[in-house]
Amino acid sequence: FSLCDDAMQLGANYLYNGSEKFVEEESSKITYMEDGSSLLYDNDGTNTTRTQGHRFGMRLEHKFSENTSILFEPQVNFGGGRFNEFSTFETFTERDAAAKDTTNTGYNTNTGANENWSTSGFLLLRQRLGKEGRTISANIRYSFSNNKLDGYNQCITNKYLADGSLDTQNDGIINQRYDQRSNGSSLSGRLVYTEPIVKNLFLEANYSYSWNMNHSVKNTYNSTSNEVVDGLLQYTGAYGNGEVLDGIYSNEITNLSQNHRAGLNFSYQLKKFRAQLGASVNPTITHNETTGHDAYDNKVVNWSPQAMVFFNPNDNTNFRLFYFGRSSQPSTSQLLPVPDNSDPMNISLGNPNLNPYFTHNLRSRFGYTNKQTFTSVNVNLNASFIQDPITSATWYTNKTNFSIPVNGPTRSSVNANLFINSPFGKSNFSIFSMTFANYNESATFVGTDDFEKNMAQKYYDPEKAEFKYKEFNEEIDMYDPSMFIKNLTQTVSLTQRLRFTYRSDLVELNVGGRTRMSKSWY
């Protein structure tokens, strides 16, 4: 609903959303090892997810005078959901076409429920300062969130020896209950001042500051509800009566980040042309604390030029060009130095020594509209380049796949799209064409055979499920070909949509199609 008068506009909204998703999936994966053998991994599973949520929002805009106004938009969200994942897996080692040995078999299940709430808001103050072109504006954004997650992680893995017999010394049972409480807070503000210098030339000074805090506590408990049937580990279907706190998979993590941005921009404005050129400096400060690990602090200063061009030669044509840069922090899950054992054959790690990454974005747009013929043409071209992007490094140890996030080489992407909508003369027929083209380039790292055989065991203790992050980050060079191989993936894709329309006062008919082509180099 909304209420308004000459000075104030007030509106409110409510949204409910709910979903239930069921996924049934089968997958097969082959990994070719340097010694000539292959690992064949088969997985069958199901996943059911149910969610529901509520959102309340409000918008208040008030004009105190011709020179002063405010805009306030608060929002509240709350909801929850449940999930149930179950899968069975088998891994085989194939040394030649005639020999295939079973490496392991088993299953894993993850079930749980969560409750969450969040609130956020935006406040904008605008003030003219008398002289034409002299203005000041300030905005503040805030957000607070809380999430409660309770679940079970249960898995059984039967491992086999080289002679095909069952490894009776293997303790391949995971029967865990966990509860996780996480909350986040963020506060940011931006101040902009504009001052006319000479006719059509303006100076803009801006400063922004953002503060983010994420805190998470996870308690994991072990129980022993299992038995051996015909030599194979079996799960009895119950969590068990007793439980013991697992210090390895229990953790508390606090991540704090601060981002400053101070800049100057010069803006030149004419009736049909406007250009802006400026630069900003971006200091970023990160502090991370995790149970059982040294505190991690990082300070990075980035410099970012920025430019914008607006050109409207006539009422039908417009052109836009933008460039801007942004510094971003790794996510809490990427920094968390606790192994994820929900899939014992694929263990993922965090990395508390990740650096922030910086993104350069270039965007351009051309638009043409003929109001007499109802013909429109729009062209968009976008490009991005990421310095120190976060990618993955993987390796195999004892037939288990390990993955850890690391900072990698520059990542780039370019995409373009063309939209054309035009009638055929003065007839009732029209054509719509949409063309997309995209190019992406990214890199990952894979451990060499020498690294997997001679060094990987040095950093991971399977008994304690402990990874030596400090030694790994200090001693490992991702660009050393004796340790890791850099894999470069390039992908090109092209999509074309075409639609013909006949439209009269009584009927509208459409016929069209779409084709998509893509190619990747690895």
Side-chain angles (χ1 to χ4, degrees), residues 18 66 182 430 502:
E66 289 296 324
S182 57
S430 64
Y502 173 81

Side-chain angles (χ1 to χ4, degrees), residues 9 11 15 67 69 120 159 171 226 238 286 324 331 333 347 357 383 440 445 452 454 466 480 511:
Q9 294 183 6
L15 173 69
N67 295 326
S69 65
S120 60
K159 295 185 178 181
D171 183 17
N226 56 76
T286 305
F324 59 91
S331 66
S333 59
I347 296 179
Y357 56 95
N440 284 287
F445 299 94
E452 293 169 353
N454 304 319
E466 184 177 73
D480 184 344
V511 60

Side-chain angles (χ1 to χ4, degrees), residues 23 28 42 46 54 58 81 104-105 149 159 212 220 237 260 298 360 378 409-410 414 423 486:
V23 177
S28 297
D42 295 328
T46 60
H54 307 266
M58 188 181 75
N104 57 65
T105 61
L149 174 64
K159 295 185 178 181
N212 295 274
T220 302
H260 301 262
N298 187 52
H360 301 269
N378 288 283
T410 300
V414 179
K486 185 181 79 168

Side-chain angles (χ1 to χ4, degrees), residues 390-430:
I390 297 175
T391 185
S392 64
T394 60
W395 66 90
Y396 283 88
T397 301
N398 297 325
K399 308 304 181 185
T400 300
N401 180 49
F402 290 84
S403 175
I404 187 172
V406 295
N407 291 102
T410 300
R411 180 187 303 166
S412 60
S413 67
V414 179
N415 65 80
N417 54 68
L418 169 65
F419 301 88
I420 300 175
N421 190 32
S422 177
F424 289 107
K426 297 181 179 181
S427 70
N428 293 330
F429 292 90
S430 64

